[in-house]
Amino acid sequence: MSDKKANLILPNGEPSIDFPIHSGTIGPDAVDIRALLGKTGKVTYDPGFLSTASCRSAITYIDGDEGVLLYRGYPIEQLAKHCDFLEVCHLLMNGELPNSAEKSDFDLRVMRHTMVHDQINNFFRGFRRDAHPMAILVGTVGALSAFYHDSLDLNDPSHREISAFRLIAKIPTLAAMAYKYSIGQPFVYPDNELGYSANFMRMLFSVPAEEYKVNPTLARALDRIFILHADHEQNASTSTVRLAGSSGANPFACVAAGIACLWGPAHGGANEACLDMLEEIGDVSRVNEYIKKAKDKNSGFRLMGFGHRVYKNYDPRAKLMRETCHEVLNELGLENDRLFKLAMELERIALEDDYFVEKKLYPNVDFYSGIVQRAMGIPTNMFTCIFALARTVGWIAQWNEMISDSEQKIGRPRQLYVGEAIRDVKQIDHR
Ligand code: CMC
């Protein structure tokens, strides 16, 4: 705690009040206004949390102006180059990268939990075949809480840990099952000898009638997608997980809430929406028309995959994803992919256009991740499931941090009430 203070001057001669200012390791200081209501009877007004820090966190840091993203202090570029996804999971959950022995142990602990209870299959049978996989994922992840009564004591760190392993291990199985169900193919059991991403690809693409060999370049690309989406500070879905968890709800239910929030097109649904948009534009010759539409407030159209609440510079994840996009398209001989060319042209024009430059609207991670996934054969409606799969470790690390925080309280925002003042109910014949 520092002795820096912010002084609030109130109207009508009321005495001014000091509030402590806290400094983090890096990033903006935070004025601690927790005592504001008690001392002044006033609340702050900040819809969308534009200027509000909802917690202390030591997991992820973003400098949106500089385009920096750190997991536990490590730049995302270095993690994407030198680590695999499970090393990043270890880092997010435990604060440090694993050494070789710790990595073997961690990988084994995750991979041992990849199977789901056989009863879970019955949940799938209840969904329509054409249900969106995110709808299935919300339901089945929430349903996991009905299976693990042995580990739902939130105050026991070993229960929290086993739940974390179960969630990280089972979500690829559930996501792959959601896909297989939608196309009428049999579920594929996990193969724990394969790595995390290779196993997911096998569960997604293999059929019992044929041998399936995982392409290592594609598995590595998928692993990178997972790394880039693993955590992102107090975004909407993470805040949802924290808010749900603040009431003491179990982690499976909280992660299901996070998945529901992620589904929206302004958040995790943007990669699906971005690919739909590229398909709609269809040809490089129509890029200018859509740029014009995006600038017209009355059109209700936005360039999907552009802009970010925090990044007011090129999203560092988008740079890495662009690189991966080249690698995957080269590997598959799709260098001249129509949508990729269209995306690059859209990016080029938007980065030069005054509207986008002035508003600091740069491509975000979703701009290229959809093209990579499509090239790999992943259907568009699975993109957000893959985001959810990757973000599960971030949600669970943030949830765990919240539960362990002695300052944690149930999340309960105030409001500025603008409805009717008190009034009397009239008899029905006088209304
Ligand atoms: N296309 C056109 N105009 C835009 C766009 C866009 N993609 N994004 C923002 N603007 C304009 C917006 O109209 C507003 O203009 P003005 O100031 O004249 O009213 C200004 O830029 C600021 O926008 P905002 O909506 O106030 O900004 P925000 O921080 O609330 O929203 C956002 C951030 C990501 C929701 C928004 O940029 C957006 O809708 N982008 C498209 C969806 C998208 O790609 N989402 C993925 C986000 S990255 C993945 C993730 O972390 O989930």
Side-chain angles (χ1 to χ4, degrees):
M1 298 276 170
S2 80
D3 45 16
K4 283 191 275 181
K5 299 233 181 306
N7 186 254
L8 177 69
I9 298 166
L10 293 160
N12 308 329
E14 291 173 64
S16 69
I17 298 169
D18 284 341
F19 293 99
I21 298 181
H22 306 308
S23 296
T25 325
I26 35 180
D29 288 351
V31 181
D32 182 344
I33 49 91
R34 280 176 293 180
L36 180 71
L37 180 63
K39 285 186 176 169
T40 68
K42 293 176 174 49
V43 295
T44 54
Y45 179 63
D46 185 16
F49 299 103
L50 293 178
S51 300
T52 297
S54 60
C55 61
R56 286 170 191 270
S57 183
I59 301 176
T60 296
Y61 173 76
I62 305 171
D63 182 332
D65 292 327
E66 297 299 323
V68 170
L69 169 62
L70 310 176
Y71 292 166
R72 302 281 189 185
Y74 294 113
I76 191 67
E77 292 83 358
Q78 292 182 30
L79 293 168
K81 198 164 165 202
H82 301 297
C83 302
D84 69 20
F85 177 64
L86 285 186
E87 285 169 74
V88 170
C89 289
H90 184 288
L91 174 70
L92 291 170
M93 282 170 65
N94 303 317
E96 294 299 338
L97 284 166
N99 60 29
S100 299
E102 287 163 344
K103 174 168 172 45
S104 305
D105 179 57
F106 186 84
D107 288 7
L108 191 72
R109 291 190 70 189
V110 172
M111 296 310 285
R112 226 184 238 159
H113 288 284
T114 50
M115 285 204 333
V116 291
H117 194 289
D118 213 43
Q119 284 290 107
I120 290 276
N121 294 354
N122 297 336
F123 276 87
F124 282 86
R125 311 258 174 248
F127 285 99
R128 284 170 57 129
R129 291 274 176 186
D130 63 355
H132 195 287
M134 280 297 275
I136 300 184
L137 205 62
V138 174
T140 50
V141 169
L144 289 180
S145 42
F147 290 83
Y148 300 109
H149 298 296
D150 62 335
S151 56
L152 295 181
D153 179 358
L154 307 184
N155 298 318
D156 183 335
S158 71
H159 282 206
R160 299 206 298 271
E161 189 182 51
I162 184 83
S163 296
F165 278 116
R166 282 176 172 151
L167 273 158
I168 294 166
K170 291 182 203 306
I171 194 146
T173 314
L174 292 173
M177 287 170 84
Y179 172 56
K180 287 296 195 191
Y181 184 74
S182 73
I183 55 170
Q185 288 186 2
F187 298 140
V188 176
Y189 285 121
D191 178 348
N192 294 350
E193 289 301 307
L194 295 172
Y196 189 85
S197 304
N199 172 52
F200 178 60
M201 282 180 70
R202 189 180 154 278
M203 289 191 291
L204 212 53
F205 296 127
S206 76
V207 289
E210 282 172 20
E211 201 187 327
Y212 177 80
K213 277 213 161 40
V214 179
N215 176 325
T217 306
L218 301 191
R220 178 65 198 148
L222 194 59
D223 209 66
R224 183 177 260 198
I225 292 180
F226 293 166
I227 292 172
L228 299 185
H229 288 87
D231 196 45
H232 214 224
E233 237 204 35
Q234 307 311 317
N235 57 84
S237 58
T238 300
S239 299
T240 301
V241 170
R242 280 186 178 257
L243 196 56
S246 75
S247 71
N250 73 70
F252 302 101
C254 296
V255 168
I259 296 172
C261 176
L262 187 75
W263 195 357
H267 192 7
N271 49 17
E272 185 176 340
C274 178
L275 209 79
D276 290 344
M277 176 192 76
L278 292 175
E279 289 283 9
E280 189 186 317
I281 300 175
D283 192 79
V284 172
S285 62
R286 298 184 65 201
V287 166
N288 278 323
E289 179 194 328
Y290 276 81
I291 295 262
K292 213 169 141 198
K293 205 167 143 191
K295 295 194 293 190
D296 174 7
K297 286 259 175 299
N298 299 323
S299 71
F301 171 79
R302 283 186 171 199
L303 271 195
M304 298 315 284
F306 270 78
H308 198 275
R309 170 61 62 80
V310 184
Y311 294 119
K312 301 301 170 198
N313 197 328
Y314 210 103
D315 178 342
R317 303 168 303 168
K319 269 190 200 145
L320 293 159
M321 199 38 75
R322 195 179 205 263
E323 209 178 277
T324 299
C325 200
H326 278 288
E327 281 165 23
V328 167
L329 296 177
N330 276 343
E331 173 72 15
L332 298 171
L334 298 171
E335 300 91 334
N336 291 321
D337 179 75
R338 180 179 56 93
L339 290 193
F340 183 53
K341 292 209 142 152
L342 182 55
M344 292 212 303
E345 181 62 4
L346 193 62
E347 176 183 344
R348 190 188 66 77
I349 296 182
L351 290 179
E352 288 171 359
D353 189 287
D354 284 351
Y355 173 94
F356 290 88
V357 172
E358 272 160 26
K359 294 190 188 302
K360 299 185 175 167
L361 298 170
Y362 292 87
N364 59 50
V365 66
D366 290 323
F367 191 63
Y368 283 109
S369 73
I371 296 171
V372 177
Q373 293 179 62
R374 174 177 159 273
M376 289 172 73
I378 298 172
T380 319
N381 66 358
M382 278 296 292
F383 291 178
T384 318
C385 284
I386 287 177
F387 192 159
L389 183 169
R391 185 56 60 83
T392 294
V393 64
W395 289 330
I396 205 74
Q398 299 267 353
W399 170 83
N400 205 11
E401 181 178 69
M402 179 196 67
I403 302 279
S404 321
D405 183 351
S406 59
E407 290 193 345
Q408 189 264 327
K409 281 187 183 309
I410 185 167
R412 204 322 187 167
R414 296 280 171 164
Q415 65 172 12
L416 179 64
Y417 177 69
V418 293
E420 296 287 346
I422 192 162
R423 50 185 174 159
D424 292 322
V425 174
K426 291 187 185 137
Q427 291 299 327
I428 193 158
D429 48 346
H430 287 93
R431 285 178 216 158

